[in-house]
Amino acid sequence: MKTSIKVLVIGSYHVIHTSRPEAEIIIGLAKAGLDMTVMTHGETEYARRFRDNGVKVIAFHPEKKFQRAESQRIRQELIKGDFDILQLYNSKAIINGIRAARGLKVKVVLYRGYAGHIHWYDPAAYLKYLHPRVDKIVCNSIGVGAHFRKQLFLDKSKLVTINKGHDLSWYNDVIPADLNVLGIASNAFVVSCMANVRPMKGIKYLLQSMEFIPNDVPIHLILGGDGTDSVEFRKIADTSLNKERIHLLGYRSDALSITAASQVCALASIKGESITRAVQEAMALGVTPVITDIPGNKELVEDGVSGLVVPMKDPKALADAILKLYRDPGLHRKLGEGARNHIATKLSHQKTIEEMKSLYEEIL
């Protein structure tokens, strides 16, 4: 007889930094008494950490979306392990996992962290999130759930919003970077955005905001992440009146350290965001966020309490918010403390674990 809920998770956990919020949920659920097994790449740091914390590891992850042998491998494990829940975290896992669960009693739970690209008229959607075999869809924000609610033929009772939280202790050992190597003086007011470039990120509006910063104010903008040093962005930066205070770094392995050395974390997104990890990290570090008012950001920042929220596609509004924080150190300090508290209370890792455990208990 089973003594606890048996969960098989399929996900990819190569990089500690980016995998941590998701991977630590699995470990947290194991510590909460659930029987957790992860199907993932076997030779990674997180595979070792899973084993060390009582999570069984099956060293396998599907490498293609439509591969009969991979679906069969998952199905064999589902039958052998007599699992109650199949939790799927990425596209390859979702497509193969749904096929593997056909005709079995296991409950299929999917995760979605992005608001967009799911449409009821797209046949491909019925291979994943709109597939009738899916029992629940965990949405990382209200904005993600709102996008799903627009889809015809989707049973809205399948939707549940559970934020992927963070733990302040994860950032205790982050050492702020020495920005002098970038030519930034120690008394400068630094605004950073450390994120891989996608159209939804609105990076050009953040660059354009520097046109509204007086050139006698020591405000520097740092952009880091894949694509931030593109020709397009360099053209915008090179024609700026403040071009000497714009730093386009491209990919950086020390993104967290650069964020920790900043006074403000800016997110100029125009659509599609969920609970953005980079901003959560900044808030956990006590760095004040300035973000746009798109739906996916609603749970991220409370305007005037844990940061500032401005209209999207409005470079001047971004600049005004940054200048407001620069000119009012007391407000800047208050919102930085509010940001940290927001993570600790409303977007906490422990809260995520409790809500996931409750979800699994409910659907069984």
Side-chain angles (χ1 to χ4, degrees):
M1 180 181 291
K2 292 182 183 179
T3 57
S4 63
I5 297 172
K6 296 192 70 175
V7 183
L8 176 61
V9 179
I10 307 179
S12 181
Y13 306 103
H14 280 295
V15 182
I16 289 284
H17 169 55
T18 56
S19 300
R20 182 162 50 188
E22 183 176 307
E24 293 293 336
I25 295 170
I26 300 165
I27 292 171
L29 288 170
K31 291 180 177 179
L34 278 68
D35 187 342
M36 303 296 295
T37 300
V38 181
M39 183 176 277
T40 190
H41 306 92
E43 300 304 319
T44 66
E45 181 64 22
Y46 251 117
R48 181 196 62 76
R49 180 161 166 72
F50 286 141
R51 295 184 183 102
D52 289 347
N53 284 274
V55 177
K56 293 180 283 295
V57 175
I58 299 171
F60 170 81
H61 188 280
E63 298 304 319
K64 296 181 180 178
K65 292 181 180 179
F66 302 97
Q67 189 72 27
R68 181 177 178 82
E70 296 186 334
S71 294
Q72 284 298 111
R73 172 68 191 280
I74 297 170
R75 184 175 180 85
Q76 289 168 7
E77 295 292 349
L78 287 172
I79 295 171
K80 176 183 174 183
D82 191 24
F83 289 98
D84 302 302
I85 305 284
L86 175 61
Q87 175 74 62
L88 305 171
Y89 273 111
N90 58 54
S91 290
K92 293 173 183 176
I94 288 170
I95 290 176
N96 285 290
I98 289 174
R99 293 177 66 193
R102 185 175 61 248
L104 303 180
K105 66 179 181 61
V106 66
K107 301 294 185 181
V108 178
V109 181
L110 311 187
Y111 167 80
R112 181 68 172 175
Y114 171 68
H117 295 331
I118 301 293
H119 303 288
W120 63 268
Y121 50 80
D122 179 7
Y126 295 89
L127 299 174
K128 297 194 289 184
Y129 295 95
L130 303 187
H131 196 294
R133 184 63 183 83
V134 174
D135 293 285
K136 286 288 182 179
I137 303 171
V138 176
C139 304
N140 191 32
S141 72
I142 292 172
V144 173
H147 178 73
F148 272 115
R149 292 182 189 282
K150 297 176 184 177
Q151 309 312 315
L152 300 177
F153 316 120
L154 173 66
D155 180 357
K156 308 306 188 289
S157 68
K158 293 183 178 182
L159 303 174
V160 58
T161 298
I162 300 178
N163 304 138
K164 193 183 282 184
H166 285 231
D167 190 313
L168 297 183
S169 68
W170 295 345
Y171 306 96
N172 288 343
D173 60 350
V174 176
I175 299 173
D178 178 6
L179 300 183
N180 288 322
V181 298
L182 299 177
I184 300 175
S186 56
N187 64 343
F189 192 86
V190 178
V191 179
S192 66
C193 177
M194 308 303 291
N196 295 333
V197 173
R198 297 182 180 89
M200 67 183 184
K201 294 293 183 182
I203 298 294
K204 70 176 183 180
Y205 300 104
L206 191 51
L207 281 167
Q208 291 167 1
S209 73
M210 288 297 286
E211 296 304 293
F212 299 95
I213 302 294
N215 57 19
D216 61 343
V217 175
I219 292 177
H220 287 248
L221 174 63
I222 297 177
L223 299 181
D226 281 344
T228 53
D229 56 350
S230 69
V231 172
E232 175 192 357
F233 295 147
R234 288 201 177 278
K235 284 182 179 179
I236 297 174
D238 288 344
T239 58
S240 172
L241 296 174
N242 288 313
K243 64 180 180 180
E244 300 301 323
R245 287 182 275 134
I246 298 175
H247 310 270
L248 306 180
L249 305 185
Y251 171 78
R252 297 285 295 213
S253 60
D254 58 347
L256 267 181
S257 293
I258 292 174
T259 298
S262 308
Q263 281 68 50
V264 169
C265 169
L267 184 71
S269 300
I270 59 175
K271 64 178 180 179
E273 289 285 12
S274 182
I275 302 296
T276 308
R277 176 177 52 81
V279 179
Q280 280 182 285
E281 291 168 348
M283 293 171 73
L285 288 164
V287 178
T288 304
V290 174
I291 67 170
T292 48
D293 59 355
I294 62 171
N297 284 340
K298 284 185 176 179
E299 299 102 307
L300 196 52
V301 172
E302 186 177 355
D303 188 37
V305 176
S306 52
L308 296 177
V309 182
V310 301
M312 69 172 181
K313 297 185 179 181
D314 191 336
K316 186 175 186 304
L318 282 164
D320 288 345
I322 293 165
L323 284 166
K324 183 176 184 178
L325 294 171
Y326 168 73
R327 290 166 175 160
D328 190 341
L331 176 65
H332 175 244
R333 184 169 54 253
K334 171 191 167 187
L335 297 186
E337 292 169 354
R340 232 174 109 77
N341 184 62
H342 191 76
I343 297 296
T345 57
K346 298 182 180 179
L347 292 175
S348 76
H349 169 62
Q350 188 57 42
K351 184 170 180 281
T352 302
I353 293 168
E354 293 167 0
E355 292 179 351
M356 288 295 293
K357 183 174 183 289
S358 295
L359 171 66
Y360 291 162
E361 292 170 345
E362 174 193 330
I363 63 178
L364 291 176

